[in-house]
């Protein structure tokens, strides 16, 4: 029979030479110890798997909006065309109604019209893409596309800073979900 002592719990590694930790259970005080940090992208994935359906839907929406924010201006047109191409009639009508609020002419709930008028939206182009991509994401969510698959498609394109910001939002969403939302 092995008796576990404080020394059995302290594993020393050379992986983190610059980090010294004083541990009350380790005789080698100040010896380098390995530490485990979770990357923001992995934190987002873990939280997505830990929350209820409504919170997961909101989390995926935040991820999509973050992705749109990271797209270079030169690529917005092509991403918008792809997002609009997959929309159903209801979503096209909703997107056209949003266009109408900008007074860019009399919008038609037609893919070709919406794609052609996109360049005239100016500063609102990114917002239009967020709406179209959000509709597309909602349809995928409703169709049962795995959240992991959606995250795998989008997270690698986010900058480290944006992932950290998004991970913080996800923690807040996790707390909201666990502390009393009706899910």
């Amino acid at each position: 029979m092995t008796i576990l002592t404080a020394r059995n719990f302290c594993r020393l590694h050379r992986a983190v030479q610059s980090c010294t930790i004083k541990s009350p259970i380790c005789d080698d005080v100040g010896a380098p110890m390995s530490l485990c940090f979770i990357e923001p992208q992995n934190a987002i994935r873990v939280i997505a798997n830990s929350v209820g359906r409504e919170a997961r839907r909101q989390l995926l929406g935040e991820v999509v909006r973050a992705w749109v924010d990271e797209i270079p201006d030169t690529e917005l047109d092509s991403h918008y065309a792809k997002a609009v191409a997959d929309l159903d009639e209801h979503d096209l009508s909703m997107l056209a109604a949003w266009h109408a609020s900008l007074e860019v002419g009399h919008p038609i709930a037609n893919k070709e019209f919406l794609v052609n008028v996109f360049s005239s939206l100016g500063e609102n182009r990114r917002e239009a893409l967020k709406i179209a991509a959000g509709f597309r994401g909602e349809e995928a969510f409703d169709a049962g596309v795995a959240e992991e698959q959606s995250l795998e498609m989008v997270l690698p394109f986010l900058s480290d800073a944006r992932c950290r910001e998004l991970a913080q939002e996800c923690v807040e969403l996790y707390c909201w979900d666990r502390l009393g939302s009706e899910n």
Side-chain angles (χ1 to χ4, degrees):
M1 182 165 115
T2 304
I3 298 175
L4 296 176
T5 65
R7 184 173 276 302
N8 295 105
F9 289 109
C10 183
R11 288 197 224 162
L12 300 178
H13 295 279
R14 295 179 191 234
V16 182
Q17 292 296 330
S18 63
C19 182
T20 57
I21 298 173
K22 295 183 179 183
S23 172
I25 62 169
C26 183
D27 293 338
D28 297 327
V29 175
M33 297 176 66
S34 64
L35 300 175
C36 178
F37 295 99
I38 188 167
E39 294 294 325
Q41 287 185 1
N42 292 332
I44 294 165
R45 287 182 186 97
V46 168
I47 292 170
N49 289 327
S50 303
V51 294
R53 182 172 172 81
E54 182 57 34
R56 192 167 34 257
R57 180 185 297 265
Q58 289 181 22
L59 185 148
L60 290 173
E62 289 299 321
V63 169
V64 167
R65 285 186 286 281
W67 169 71
V68 170
D69 286 338
E70 296 280 321
I71 296 173
D73 288 340
T74 57
E75 297 177 17
L76 289 175
D77 292 351
S78 64
H79 286 288
Y80 184 75
K82 289 176 192 173
V84 169
D86 292 335
L87 298 181
D88 63 19
E89 293 302 318
H90 178 263
D91 291 337
L92 288 171
S93 295
M94 297 290 287
L95 188 57
W98 180 81
H99 279 255
S101 73
L102 299 175
E103 299 177 4
V104 292
H106 183 67
I108 303 168
N110 172 291
K111 294 175 185 181
E112 185 178 341
F113 171 82
L114 293 172
V115 169
N116 289 335
V117 75
F118 183 72
S119 61
S120 68
L121 296 177
E123 293 295 317
N124 294 310
R125 292 183 322 142
R126 200 169 293 278
E127 187 62 29
L129 178 54
K130 286 179 184 179
I131 292 168
F135 287 149
R136 188 174 173 195
E138 287 287 323
E139 288 176 3
F141 191 88
D142 291 339
V145 173
E147 292 87 11
E148 296 89 20
Q149 185 180 5
S150 299
L151 293 173
E152 288 302 318
M153 289 173 41
V154 174
L155 287 177
F157 293 101
L158 300 181
S159 67
D160 289 336
R162 189 61 177 118
C163 280
R164 284 191 298 277
E165 183 181 316
L166 190 56
Q168 182 176 350
E169 292 175 29
C170 289
V171 168
E172 292 171 8
L173 188 59
Y174 176 85
C175 292
W176 169 81
D177 181 64
R178 292 298 174 203
L179 294 176
S181 76
E182 294 179 18
N183 227 346

